[in-house]
């Protein structure tokens, strides 16, 4: 894979407060440049939610109401998030979830396309018994020595997903082949279905 052919792309991960629909409590956006995660230009935000974090959500990511009490709310955060995301492609594991949460909070934002590393993993490794992030980390053994925080925090999960994306990309010759395998139908960037020509 020639990584220099890639358009601007950020791997994103969001964590919520456990309500439905969720308030965002953490967002990470990690650019991938020349086949490497670029932590020097990454964005990460902790956000005080409008509604308390549920006990279940705390057990997942460890972000308590006390930790978030002095963080800015979404209104003070959204412009910076929108500015970093811009019109770049995004990638995420089980991308529908992150894309849905971000578009709900940023209705004016639209990425150029959405890469789903879960969908890509099923195409790249068709015989695995599981495709969760932990199972794929175990299968591909990426270098996570520089990953910030810990599993289930947005910064760690974005870094791990970026390394997973880079590893899987080597199975494809071109960006278009990667997109065909990785973008779910109905999300931005999905290849148009081929139309059958009709002869009149």
């Amino acid at each position: 894979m020639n990584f220099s052919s890639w358009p601007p792309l950020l791997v994103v991960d969001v964590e919520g407060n456990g309500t439905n629909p969720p308030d965002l409590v953490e967002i990470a956006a990690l650019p991938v440049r020349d086949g490497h995660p670029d932590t020097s230009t990454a964005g990460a935000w902790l956000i005080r939610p409008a509604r308390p974090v549920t006990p279940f959500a705390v057990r997942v990511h460890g972000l308590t109401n006390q930790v978030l009490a002095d963080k800015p709310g979404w209104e003070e955060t959204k412009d910076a998030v929108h500015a970093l995301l811009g019109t770049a492609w995004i990638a995420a594991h089980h991308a529908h979830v992150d894309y849905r949460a971000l578009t709900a909070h940023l209705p004016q934002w639209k990425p150029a396309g959405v890469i789903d590393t879960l969908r890509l993993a099923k195409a790249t490794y068709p015989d695995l018994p599981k495709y969760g992030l932990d199972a794929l980390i175990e299968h591909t053994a990426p270098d996570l020595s520089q990953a910030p925080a810990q599993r289930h925090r947005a910064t760690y999960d974005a870094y791990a997903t970026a390394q997973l994306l880079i590893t899987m990309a080597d199975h494809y010759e071109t960006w278009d082949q990667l997109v065909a395998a990785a973008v779910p139908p109905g999300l931005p960037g999905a290849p148009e279905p081929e139309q059958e020509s009709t002869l009149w």
Side-chain angles (χ1 to χ4, degrees), residues 23-49:
D23 294 337
L24 300 180
V25 297
E26 187 177 29
I27 301 175
L30 176 63
V32 173
R33 293 192 172 93
D34 298 321
H36 301 282
D38 183 6
T39 55
S40 68
T41 59
W45 297 268
L46 290 173
I47 304 154
R48 185 184 70 254

Side-chain angles (χ1 to χ4, degrees), residues 115-176:
I115 296 282
D116 182 8
T117 51
L118 173 61
R119 182 181 178 88
L120 182 61
K122 289 180 177 180
T124 309
Y125 310 118
D127 298 322
L128 293 186
K130 294 182 180 179
Y131 292 93
L133 193 54
D134 289 320
L136 290 166
I137 288 170
E138 183 176 345
H139 180 71
T140 61
D143 180 6
L144 299 180
S145 60
Q146 302 301 311
Q150 68 276 346
R151 179 74 172 93
H152 294 299
R153 288 289 303 274
T155 49
Y156 183 101
D157 288 2
Y159 190 94
T161 301
Q163 294 288 51
L164 179 62
L165 173 62
I166 292 161
T167 299
M168 291 191 293
D170 275 335
H171 293 256
Y172 300 86
E173 292 185 6
T174 67
W175 169 256
D176 287 346

